[in-house]
């Protein structure tokens, strides 16, 4: 059996002189990635959000003051951002964001190439009972395998299973969902043909 040609058909090249450039773009596409962030202290998120609201209020007040003082448009942004109340609010928001960032653990997931995705599904087939319920994978083994396989950080299957077992149901679902969603993300516009 002859090897499949990797060159586009001559009629395609003739019809579209830019075919090689299109193929180069298609080959250069990166697999999608998705981050999942986990924060144990909700008060830090609340504090950051409150400082952002105070910053927005300080900026709005400064904009109003700029209107009353007829600050020229070309000078307005600098005038607003140098107001003491705006500077103080920006510093508070920055500090609150830093505290939140320090307490946040971010995991990054990358979609698997289609053959790897299909192989993972074959390695974790549903039980007969799960298949009867419409599942396409084994709900006991597949989540940890997918989290591990999609993890850019290098999480092992054992580590993924440990987290899925030890975390609360919503957190465990968020972990699995982050890995699942990145693998099901459609990035094509199929048009209204």
């Amino acid at each position: 059996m002859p090897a499949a040609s990797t060159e586009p058909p001559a009629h395609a090249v003739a019809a579209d002189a830019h075919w090689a450039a299109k193929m180069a773009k298609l080959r250069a596409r990166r697999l999608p990635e998705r981050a999942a962030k986990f924060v144990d202290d909700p008060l830090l998120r609340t504090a950051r959000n409150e400082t952002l609201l105070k910053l927005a209020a300080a900026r709005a007040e400064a904009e109003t003051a700029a209107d009353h003082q007829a600050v020229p448009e070309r000078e307005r942004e600098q005038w607003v951002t140098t107001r003491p109340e705006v500077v103080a609010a920006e510093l508070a928001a920055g500090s609150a964001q830093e505290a939140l960032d320090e307490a946040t653990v971010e995991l990054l997931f990358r979609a698997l190439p289609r053959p790897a995705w299909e192989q993972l599904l074959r390695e974790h087939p549903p039980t007969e009972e799960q298949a009867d319920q419409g599942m396409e994978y084994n709900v006991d083994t597949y989540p940890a395998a997918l989290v591990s396989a999609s993890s850019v950080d290098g999480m092992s299957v054992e580590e993924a299973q440990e987290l899925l077992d030890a975390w609360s149901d919503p957190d465990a679902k968020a972990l699995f969902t982050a890995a699942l969603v990145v693998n099901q993300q459609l990035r094509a516009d199929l048009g209204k043909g």
Side-chain angles (χ1 to χ4, degrees):
M1 176 179 224
S5 173
T6 58
E7 294 298 314
H11 70 280
V13 173
D16 185 352
H18 303 290
W19 178 252
K22 283 183 181 181
M23 278 306 296
K25 283 184 180 181
L26 291 170
R27 287 182 180 121
R29 291 183 74 216
R30 295 185 55 190
L31 292 168
E33 293 183 349
R34 179 184 187 93
K37 296 180 180 183
F38 298 93
V39 181
D40 285 332
D41 189 348
L43 295 177
L44 291 172
R45 183 178 288 122
T46 300
R48 189 272 322 263
N49 291 344
E50 287 174 357
T51 61
L52 290 176
L53 289 173
K54 289 177 182 176
L55 174 57
R59 285 188 63 86
E61 286 179 28
E63 288 282 350
T64 301
D67 287 341
H68 290 313
Q69 295 189 23
V71 175
E73 194 64 37
R74 65 183 179 281
E75 299 171 14
R76 183 175 293 257
E77 182 62 22
Q78 182 178 359
W79 193 91
V80 167
T81 58
T82 58
R83 302 281 41 98
E85 60 278 5
V86 173
V87 171
E90 284 179 346
L91 289 172
S95 294
Q97 184 64 54
E98 285 177 19
L100 180 61
D101 290 345
E102 286 180 26
T104 300
V105 175
E106 180 177 292
L107 300 174
L108 186 61
F109 298 97
R110 182 178 300 127
L112 302 172
R114 186 187 52 78
W117 167 264
E118 290 174 353
Q119 179 63 34
L120 198 61
L121 284 171
R122 282 192 299 274
E123 291 171 0
H124 299 276
T127 63
E128 190 173 317
E129 182 180 328
Q130 292 168 352
D132 289 344
Q133 296 173 355
M135 301 303 298
E136 65 177 314
Y137 54 80
N138 186 307
V139 298
D140 298 319
T141 62
Y142 183 73
L146 179 64
V147 167
S148 173
S150 299
S151 172
V152 173
D153 301 302
M155 185 182 300
S156 71
V157 173
E158 294 76 19
E159 291 166 330
Q161 190 64 59
E162 176 187 341
L163 297 178
L164 291 168
D165 290 343
W167 285 4
S168 68
D169 188 55
D171 285 343
K173 284 179 180 172
L175 178 63
F176 173 58
T177 299
L180 185 63
V181 166
V182 76
N183 281 286
Q184 296 180 334
Q185 180 178 345
L186 178 64
R187 296 188 306 165
D189 180 3
L190 303 178
K192 296 187 178 199

